[in-house]
């Protein structure tokens, strides 16, 4: 292990310090020692993606113009000074971090976060509180006291 090798190299003549450094990872306290913290960060490289069909684009790495009544996303490409253009289905322009998924059928999906105020209805619904309670026998009861039964894994609920 490269961390133990670095600890041995640093503490060649000091056995007490070597034992102290060896005990810190076992006690999950390796962040307390700056040398050990640096060695652990260096040896553990996180952030490896296990998928080959997606790209994550940071907010400043793309542009989103509307051209001829259609939204477009222009991403950085591998060639210097060139951009890759992705057409969108409407004129709604994404913002923030994008996740671009490359599908098997040569389609491209652009996922982005949307503010809650944009998608949730803010119309008043009335003073009643709405809730659903699931019982032990797979029966649901709503706020009005009506009972509904679950129709298996079809995702359907039927009034009883």
């Amino acid at each position: 292990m490269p961390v133990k090798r670095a600890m041995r190299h640093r503490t060649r003549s000091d056995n007490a310090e070597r034992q102290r450094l060896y005990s810190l990872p076992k006690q999950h306290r390796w962040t307390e020692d700056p040398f050990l913290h640096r060695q652990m960060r260096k040896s553990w490289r996180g952030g490896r993606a296990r998928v080959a069909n997606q790209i994550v684009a940071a907010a400043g790495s793309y542009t989103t113009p509307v051209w001829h009544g259609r939204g477009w996303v222009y991403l950085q490409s591998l060639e210097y000074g060139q951009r890759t253009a992705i057409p969108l289905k409407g004129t709604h322009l994404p913002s923030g971090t994008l996740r671009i998924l490359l599908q098997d059928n040569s389609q491209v999906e652009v996922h982005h976060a949307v503010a809650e105020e944009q998608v949730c209805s803010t119309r008043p619904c009335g003073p009643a509180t709405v809730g659903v309670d699931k019982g032990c026998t797979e029966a649901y009861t709503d706020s009005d006291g009506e009972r509904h039964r679950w129709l298996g894994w079809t995702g359907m609920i039927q009034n009883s």
Side-chain angles (χ1 to χ4, degrees), residues 29-30 32 68 79-80 82 86-87 94 109 122 127 134 149:
R29 294 177 38 214
W30 54 269
E32 296 174 8
H68 291 293
E79 200 171 318
Y80 181 76
Q82 299 295 317
I86 300 173
E109 291 182 10
T122 57
K134 178 182 178 228
R149 68 182 173 100

Side-chain angles (χ1 to χ4, degrees), residues 48-63:
R48 300 254 189 326
R50 291 181 171 82
V51 294
N53 68 337
Q54 69 182 351
I55 301 166
V56 176
S61 68
Y62 63 90
T63 56

Side-chain angles (χ1 to χ4, degrees), residues 15-140:
N15 282 336
E17 177 66 9
R18 181 180 298 172
Q19 292 304 317
R20 186 188 74 80
L21 286 178
Y22 278 172
S23 67
L24 289 177
K26 293 176 185 175
Q27 299 168 0
H28 302 291
R29 294 177 38 214
W30 54 269
T31 57
E32 296 174 8
D33 185 70
F35 169 75
L36 193 53
H37 193 179
R38 185 172 58 251
Q39 294 301 319
M40 293 291 273
R41 279 195 328 251
K42 222 191 286 187
S43 70
W44 180 73
R45 302 259 184 207
R48 300 254 189 326
R50 291 181 171 82
V51 294
N53 68 337
Q54 69 182 351
I55 301 166
V56 176
S61 68
Y62 63 90
T63 56
T64 55
V66 175
W67 188 58
H68 291 293
R70 177 177 242 183
W72 291 79
V73 174
Y74 289 100
L75 293 170
Q76 297 174 355
S77 68
L78 295 176
E79 200 171 318
Y80 181 76
Q82 299 295 317
R83 295 239 175 205
T84 302
I86 300 173
L88 302 174
K89 288 192 175 183
T91 57
H92 178 76
L93 300 176
S95 62
T97 303
L98 301 181
R99 182 177 302 271
I100 293 121
L101 299 169
L102 309 170
Q103 299 297 327
D104 293 334
N105 58 358
S106 300
Q107 295 290 317
V108 177
E109 291 182 10
V110 178
H111 294 194
H112 64 99
V114 179
E116 183 180 4
E117 295 82 27
Q118 291 178 339
V119 292
C120 292
S121 173
T122 57
R123 293 178 293 152
C125 305
T129 303
V130 177
V132 175
D133 180 36
K134 178 182 178 228
C136 296
T137 59
E138 299 296 327
Y140 293 87

